[in-house]
Amino acid sequence: NLSELDVTPTDLLAPGNESRVRPVYDSYLGRAEDHLAAGWNYTNRLPRGAAHVRLACAGPILIGMKTLGKLWTERILDPAQPIKILRQEVRALIIRSMVAYPFPRAWRGLFARHGPN
């Protein structure tokens, strides 16, 4: 909670306040990773024969994890540095998931946590 850190919404406009905001921000990133991990576990519990469904679920989860990886490491309050993954990165994730799908070990390896969990 930002109020516990004595941070106001206006403080979020100043890049120099990142170190004050980071503890709360990182806790939310950790929660987001936990939710994506739950989605990944759900996806892997679907029957392997439901490849279309599993791949459709995997795409947004892997995109989310790639985005969180950047959010863990990049400057979050710097408006000059937007944090996003590029289209070619999205395409690469989708292609990698399709190529890895027939190989269970490679498929499971697609999901990797980035935070301190």
Side-chain angles (χ1 to χ4, degrees), residues 32-115:
E33 279 198 357
D34 290 344
H35 290 300
L36 289 171
W40 186 250
N41 288 334
Y42 168 82
T43 300
N44 283 291
R45 289 200 164 117
L46 294 170
R48 282 208 47 84
H52 287 93
V53 176
R54 290 179 84 180
L55 288 165
C57 291
I61 292 168
L62 297 174
I63 292 167
M65 288 304 291
K66 181 80 168 180
T67 303
L68 285 177
K70 290 181 180 249
L71 293 172
W72 278 112
T73 59
E74 295 187 19
R75 296 190 44 125
I76 57 171
L77 297 183
D78 187 354
Q81 280 187 303
I83 302 172
K84 64 180 190 173
I85 64 172
L86 304 173
R87 280 192 186 133
Q88 53 265 44
E89 291 176 289
V90 171
R91 278 191 217 105
L93 285 171
I94 301 301
I95 291 168
R96 195 173 310 129
S97 68
M98 293 184 333
V99 169
Y101 189 76
F103 309 99
R105 188 173 178 181
W107 168 262
R108 285 189 304 275
L110 292 174
F111 185 88
R113 287 183 177 265
H114 299 280

